[in-house]
């Protein structure tokens, strides 16, 4: 079982620890992760990062928010799946 030794409190990843050109997909009706709180945190982080002039930090992650989806339903929802593929294509392009 993959989750046998998995504890959320031991696996925290903060916005400033995400690699450049990251994408975070959140489902509003997720039964496992507190998606609404994560969404609020990430969008506040985006806003504060954009407000800092001359900030040398990496760009904030792209956040895809689906308020009506449940955990992992992005894999079976055509719109969400398309958005994920588009994000992958966008990040796969060479940086200018």
């Amino acid at each position: 079982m993959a989750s046998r030794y998995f504890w959320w409190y031991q696996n925290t990843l903060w916005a400033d620890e995400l690699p450049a050109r990251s994408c975070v997909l959140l489902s509003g009706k997720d039964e496992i992760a507190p998606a609404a709180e994560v969404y609020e945190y990430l969008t506040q982080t985006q806003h504060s990062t954009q407000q800092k002039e001359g900030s040398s930090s990496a760009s904030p992650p792209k956040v895809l928010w689906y308020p009506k989806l449940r955990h992992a339903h992005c894999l079976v929802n055509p719109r969400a799946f398309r958005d994920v593929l588009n994000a992958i294509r966008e990040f796969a392009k060479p940086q200018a």
Side-chain angles (χ1 to χ4, degrees), residues 30-95:
D30 195 311
E31 307 88 0
I32 298 172
E37 289 85 352
V38 173
Y39 176 77
E40 185 176 331
Y41 165 71
L42 290 174
T43 55
Q44 286 178 353
T45 301
Q46 281 182 336
H47 182 70
S48 65
T49 301
Q50 292 168 353
Q51 293 295 322
K52 292 180 185 176
E53 293 182 32
S55 174
S56 61
S57 63
S59 62
K62 178 179 187 137
V63 179
L64 300 177
W65 173 246
Y66 301 95
K68 296 181 180 181
L69 293 185
R70 297 171 70 103
H71 186 82
H73 282 193
C74 64
L75 300 174
V76 295
N77 178 281
R79 179 179 154 239
F81 191 75
R82 184 177 54 248
D83 292 346
V84 170
L85 290 178
N86 287 337
I88 291 169
R89 285 185 193 108
E90 178 184 329
F91 292 141
K93 292 178 186 175
Q95 290 181 320

Side-chain angles (χ1 to χ4, degrees), residues 9-28:
Y9 66 86
Q10 294 175 339
N11 294 285
T12 302
L13 181 64
W14 300 104
D16 62 349
E17 297 173 331
L18 289 168
R21 298 171 54 160
S22 292
C23 181
V24 177
L25 181 118
L26 297 166
S27 299

